[in-house]
Amino acid sequence: RFLSVLLPVGVLQWRGSPRGLVPILTWGGLRGGLSVAMALSLPALPEKELLLTCTYGVVLFSVLAQSLTMRRLLNHYGVGKEGG
């Protein structure tokens, strides 16, 4: 994820993109879509329900952790502040 954000933003850096853009976009990216799709595509196994439950749990934790720490990250880079 970091590299997929870094490459296009690196090209735009010379245009004056805000400080901290790559870490902010990396941290704020969508989480879990691919993990859930892969878990749902598993064949009928006895452990499939357990794997789905664990996958949803990890994705939920990831989303909550991101949302609860995003303001701190934005403040660290001065994004959204007057004059910043």
Side-chain angles (χ1 to χ4, degrees), residues 4-38:
S4 67
V5 171
L6 179 64
L7 294 175
V9 170
V11 172
L12 298 176
Q13 281 293 335
W14 57 272
R15 291 189 176 180
S17 60
R19 180 177 158 258
L21 184 62
V22 172
I24 292 168
L25 290 177
T26 301
W27 190 247
L30 296 175
R31 300 276 192 244
L34 184 58
S35 303
V36 171
M38 290 173 59

Side-chain angles (χ1 to χ4, degrees), residues 16-82:
S17 60
R19 180 177 158 258
L21 184 62
V22 172
I24 292 168
L25 290 177
T26 301
W27 190 247
L30 296 175
R31 300 276 192 244
L34 184 58
S35 303
V36 171
M38 290 173 59
L40 287 171
S41 71
L42 290 172
L45 300 169
E47 300 85 10
K48 184 174 181 175
E49 291 301 317
L50 176 62
L51 288 171
L52 275 170
T53 302
C54 290
T55 302
Y56 280 118
V58 169
V59 169
L60 181 63
F61 174 78
S62 173
V63 169
L64 288 174
Q66 272 183 276
S67 64
L68 294 173
T69 56
M70 182 56 85
R71 182 180 302 262
R72 179 179 242 185
L73 183 68
L74 293 173
N75 287 339
H76 175 77
Y77 288 107
V79 175
K81 293 182 179 179
E82 295 274 335

